[in-house]
Amino acid sequence: MTVLSVDEAKRLAAARAAELIRPGMKLGLGTGSTAKHFVDLVGEKVKAGMDLICVPTSEQTAAQARALGIRLSTLDETPELDLTVDGADEFDTKMRLIKGGGGALLREKIVAAASKKMIVITDRSKQVEVLGKFPLPVEVVPFGLEATRRRVEKICRMTGTRGPVKLRMGADGKPFLTDGGHYILDCECGMISYPDAVATALAATPGVVEHGLFIGLAKAVIVADSAGVDIIGDLG
Ligand code: 5RP
């Protein structure tokens, strides 16, 4: 057995997802180091002459795709996509996800929801029994930040843990700004035993734009490790 690095496993998962691409497809392009491999493979197909239209989930992915010569569109021009392929920060066996480690969760969720199929690509280290080890990103508007933060903290306590809810900071020492001009609260929940309840409560909180719990969106998760590729769900 060849031992794969985490990055090699990410690339292997991306390669399996790239096998699903057909000429003429409208694709959603995810964000992050795993999705980056997938975008590279889309670029190779475009270079080889395949006609594809792609909607990126972040400015970062848009820049990569443009550099590769991939034709980009928006959800206004192309409101229905065939397939979106994206990474995740955590997933469980029910294909519930935590996303937003890269700060792109809002666009990622909108693009996934506009797709007939969302397929997640990941290495095995992201699999958990119970979501919540990875701090849950929650995108909020800057107005009323502290009031919103406290409300979000109360909701996170529904999970039975009392980790902090922290404003994400950028490398410049200022609050991290999303592509939509919002802030991110990273919520150290520990264990999210009732993700549906937490998702519902967060979605109903004034000031919250979107949260990183993706429930019922992924049709399949392609998981790679040194043993090969494993599929949870249905790629069909
Ligand atoms: C960005 C995301 C990414 O999909 C998630 O952070 C996984 O990133 P990576 O593939 O780099 O591990 O949700 O908002």
Side-chain angles (χ1 to χ4, degrees):
M1 186 172 75
T2 318
V3 177
L4 298 186
S5 67
V6 167
D7 195 55
E8 285 165 337
K10 288 178 177 184
R11 177 144 183 115
L12 184 61
R16 180 66 188 86
E19 291 173 17
L20 304 172
I21 301 173
R22 300 284 174 270
M25 268 190 165
K26 298 169 201 158
L27 293 176
L29 304 178
T31 295
S33 56
T34 318
K36 187 170 184 288
H37 287 303
F38 180 76
V39 177
D40 280 339
L41 295 166
V42 171
E44 282 176 20
K45 289 188 187 287
V46 167
K47 207 170 169 196
M50 197 184 274
D51 181 32
L52 298 166
I53 300 177
C54 298
V55 174
T57 53
S58 64
E59 296 303 327
Q60 185 190 320
T61 297
Q64 183 197 356
R66 261 186 230 109
L68 292 168
I70 296 170
R71 177 146 64 109
L72 293 183
S73 183
T74 63
L75 287 183
D76 298 315
E77 293 164 354
T78 314
E80 270 185 47
L81 304 177
D82 298 302
L83 169 68
T84 286
V85 175
D86 202 349
D89 297 300
E90 258 184 21
F91 68 96
D92 68 10
T93 50
K94 291 183 176 163
M95 295 181 284
R96 296 179 295 195
L97 318 172
I98 287 184
K99 284 187 53 57
L105 65 117
L106 174 60
R107 293 189 186 186
E108 288 172 335
K109 200 177 271 189
I110 294 171
V111 171
S115 305
K116 286 184 197 139
K117 226 190 289 181
M118 180 209 193
I119 305 281
V120 174
I121 48 176
T122 173
D123 67 281
R124 182 71 69 184
S125 70
K126 311 276 186 69
Q127 184 164 4
V128 293
E129 285 279 314
V130 181
L131 295 174
K133 224 184 286 164
F134 189 91
L136 174 66
V138 177
E139 185 157 347
V140 299
V141 292
F143 180 86
L145 175 66
E146 181 51 22
T148 307
R149 196 194 66 75
R150 287 181 189 205
R151 263 187 244 117
V152 167
E153 200 162 57
K154 257 192 203 160
I155 292 166
C156 289
R157 286 189 184 160
M158 282 168 46
T159 66
T161 53
R162 282 171 186 262
V165 168
K166 288 189 206 148
L167 179 64
R168 188 181 297 182
M169 303 303 285
D172 58 1
K174 295 185 184 147
F176 173 87
L177 270 190
T178 67
D179 286 343
H182 306 126
Y183 291 163
I184 299 262
L185 296 173
D186 288 308
C187 311
E188 288 191 21
C189 296
M191 272 170 67
I192 305 177
S193 305
Y194 303 100
D196 298 82
V198 171
T200 303
L202 287 172
T205 301
V208 169
V209 180
E210 195 47 85
H211 57 79
L213 284 166
F214 283 47
I215 300 175
L217 280 167
K219 286 272 178 296
V221 181
I222 300 177
V223 197
D225 60 17
S226 299
V229 167
D230 193 13
I231 314 284
I232 300 172
D234 184 9
L235 291 180

